[in-house]
Amino acid sequence: MSVKPDFLETMIMGFCVLVLIGALVSLRTATARAADKPTAQRITLADNSVCLTLGNKNDGFAIRSLFCSVRQREFIADALHPLWTLFVEKDGQESLEWTSISEVFKREVQCTRTRAKLIWRGTGDARGLVVLVSAVVADSRVTLKMSVENRSRKLSLMRVRFPSMALCQIGESAEDDAFLRPEISGILAKAPLVKGLQSDAHYPGGWGPLQFVAHYDQDAGLYLGTHDPLACFKRFFSRKTDSGIEVSVEWPAESASVAGNDFKHPGEIVLSTFGGDWFDASQIYRQWVSAKAKWWPQRRKYGRPDIPDWLKDICFWIRIRGVSDQLVEDAKRVAEFMGVPTALHWYDWHVIPYDTDYPHYFPAKEGFAEGIAELQEAGIRVMPYINGRLWDSEAPDFEQSGRAVATKDRKAECYVEIYKSGRKLVPVCPTQPLWQKIVKNATLRLFSPEFNVDGVYIDQIAAANPKECYDATHGHPLCGGHWWNTEGYWPLLRSLRRSMSRYPDRFLTSECNADPYAHLFDAYLTWHFQYNDMVPAFAAVYADKILTFGRAYGGTEPLAHRMRAAQSLVFGEQIGWITTDVLDSQPDTAIYIRKCARIRYRLLDYLARGVMLRPPTVHGEIPDVTADWAWFGKLDVTNSALQRGAWKAEEGSVAFVFANSSDEPISFTWDFSPEQYGLPNRALSVRKITEEGKSEEPNIQGQTSLKMHLEPRGIESYLVRAKKSVSRK
């Protein structure tokens, strides 16, 4: 059948009109939800992808809508939620709390189509305070900045909560929503509006290592990140309430308790819509941190050329306590069994009891130096423990030397922490020259010919969140800000690393994984990766920039140990941090852990030197497994029996890893899309990687679904690269 040209043109014009109408409707949908309410003087900022609606003056310019016109999704709950809150102290005594809606502020606004400047001027008790917030919509994202000018002689800013908003369900159902908590490695709260959510992450610290959260479903997501290049103290609050998911960031103020102190956070707050999941949100953070954060390691170089190559090659870790010939022999036996490059973390090598009389680590126990030499002779690298943060208040020199450099609260009393030793241990202020000298000297002595260790583990620096120190004699701003890093641990560790140049190919590690120390450590001990619903968000950001190693292998359940080892493998961690009795107490578990370590050894260009990519997409009847991980008592952890990961080497090839932690076989389908991993959509070379080496496999032709089968406790990995074309003469 033929179609007349004029009829065809009419059809095309009609279609174009419909498309134009649809686009206009999309841009207006963000405010349509509130059509039955007064919207006069509301502020709308928009570009082609994002529409931000702020409330009117009576609403305190609260965020009333954030609509993604590309994906046709709303993210803000239909409830009035203050944009900010000030926690103020008057005359050093009275505590006051004001929000962006409080009547003590007069409000002004200046705006264009994409920018708004919001102003609050204090009156009455708030006289002298001027709050400024800027909001900009550009490049499919919203950026916010806030400052507080304090001209009062009576008021002191103690804390600032900004931004604050309530998120709604995404799309038609809340059941498929997920919320990425910025804790541990990254933790998913599934269906948070149905099952609940309560998160309080202190940044920077091991339980709050990252500066972003994300709320998403299968169609659209919202990323909220504090792009703070100096890593100020802050807390991320996220909780489910009747009005939605309340999300806010709280900043302890610099010079808190001092009348007339101002507030201005470094960097900016970013709200960005995206499609995907936790991995895509991680890439937004990675894009920023790699370009702007002061701590991004080796910014203009691939990977970390400053980390010793032999350290990157480590595949298994042993942990011992005490000094004895038997411990050394046991460690050598375990390393021989594993058959991969091995390192040892040595606790209780000092005469003082653990967590007692810090920071006086010397003298060492008899046999320590000899044990180091014997282990190194067997090819095992040695890393002893010291603490980089605590001074025992019962140590003989604490009153004379320690108290002056200790962190202190508002009452000038030392902060105190008590662990299993029962001693009152005091966190020291890292800005103090005496403490910097103590940590530096202890580390360098261990590197010296007296002990000749390969690395030193400096406990707690990347684990414990900063203390809000109020000691004015220390010279840093009181309470909040970035001084803990910029005036404390950063200069301490920089000086230490300069002095380490006399001992080449040595390394430093710390506990946990707070991100602003990544440039000054070579590896992080991820012993605390022990929770339900973890995802490798940290590795998705930092895998090529800092090594991670170890899990705490608590309890006696073999399944729990296999679950940890399998997850460690696909997360890119060096395996183990396990005691030497594993060979005798759980020989089958030791075999599985060895398999993980040996697979890692075959994939060092990927897992030790490469970049994490999106985990492979699989489907089928894949079971979950549950076991007691015995983390500070009983803790049942449930995760998929099939752990999986994808990693790219510098030259572009990709390794895919699949690990079955269960005692049952698993059959599944792997949906493989080459373009998703930077591979060409044509014939590909595939090599299956085993413990023993490589074996040829059939080529994959473009996008395909592959039927896979893993035996009980099976691990398979595949190297995929573009097939070399054969030139024709």
Side-chain angles (χ1 to χ4, degrees), residues 125-332:
D125 286 342
R127 187 178 303 277
L129 297 180
V130 179
V131 180
L132 301 175
V133 171
S134 67
V136 179
V137 174
D139 301 323
S140 302
R141 60 174 55 186
V142 177
T143 57
L144 303 171
K145 294 183 180 181
M146 178 182 182
S147 63
V148 183
E149 183 178 344
N150 183 3
R151 302 169 184 169
S152 172
R153 297 181 180 180
K154 296 183 176 182
L155 301 178
S156 174
L157 298 170
M158 302 301 294
R159 279 175 162 69
V160 175
R161 185 173 293 168
F162 173 80
S164 187
M165 65 197 72
L167 307 180
C168 64
Q169 76 177 42
I170 304 172
E172 296 180 357
S173 173
E175 293 285 352
D176 64 345
D177 291 354
F179 187 91
L180 178 64
R181 296 159 50 183
E183 302 169 44
I184 321 299
S185 67
I187 294 181
L188 281 188
K190 300 174 183 178
L193 286 167
V194 178
K195 300 178 180 179
L197 169 65
Q198 186 73 41
S199 175
D200 178 6
H202 294 245
Y203 176 89
W207 279 257
L210 299 165
Q211 295 188 89
F212 72 96
V213 299
H215 184 45
Y216 62 88
D217 71 359
Q218 60 185 352
D219 297 317
L222 179 67
Y223 164 98
L224 189 159
T226 58
H227 290 184
D228 167 9
L230 299 175
C232 294
F233 315 174
K234 57 182 70 73
R235 294 170 71 178
F236 286 82
F237 293 99
S238 308
R239 65 190 182 107
K240 186 257 184 184
T241 68
D242 291 340
S243 62
I245 300 174
E246 291 187 2
V247 180
S248 62
V249 182
E250 188 171 291
W251 311 68
E254 280 194 21
S255 301
S257 77
V258 177
N261 63 324
D262 297 329
F263 170 81
K264 184 177 182 180
H265 63 82
E268 57 193 15
I269 312 299
V270 172
L271 303 174
S272 181
T273 61
F274 67 94
D277 57 16
W278 62 266
F279 182 83
D280 301 274
S282 301
Q283 297 313 291
I284 297 173
Y285 187 70
R286 176 180 167 92
Q287 183 180 29
W288 167 76
V289 76
S290 63
K292 300 294 185 181
K294 298 296 184 183
W295 62 86
W296 184 255
Q298 301 286 314
R299 194 179 305 277
R300 285 172 288 276
K301 298 180 181 178
Y302 181 87
R304 281 289 296 274
D306 58 324
I307 295 178
D309 270 336
W310 66 260
L311 180 60
K312 297 174 185 176
D313 292 345
I314 294 295
C315 293
F316 180 73
W317 280 84
I318 300 168
R319 173 172 53 89
I320 65 172
R321 286 187 176 276
V323 177
S324 72
D325 293 340
Q326 188 60 54
L327 280 172
V328 172
E329 289 300 319
D330 289 345
K332 290 162 59 179

Side-chain angles (χ1 to χ4, degrees), residues 530-533 552 554-565 586 589 624-631 633-641 661-663:
Q530 301 286 334
Y531 295 86
N532 280 290
D533 300 315
T556 59
E557 286 196 31
L559 175 57
H561 292 345
R562 295 197 305 271
M563 290 167 68
R564 290 186 184 96
Q586 294 192 32
T589 299
D624 288 339
V625 287
T626 301
D628 177 14
W629 284 30
W631 176 245
K634 182 178 176 60
L635 177 64
D636 287 335
V637 172
T638 299
N639 62 29
S640 175
S661 64
S662 76
D663 287 321

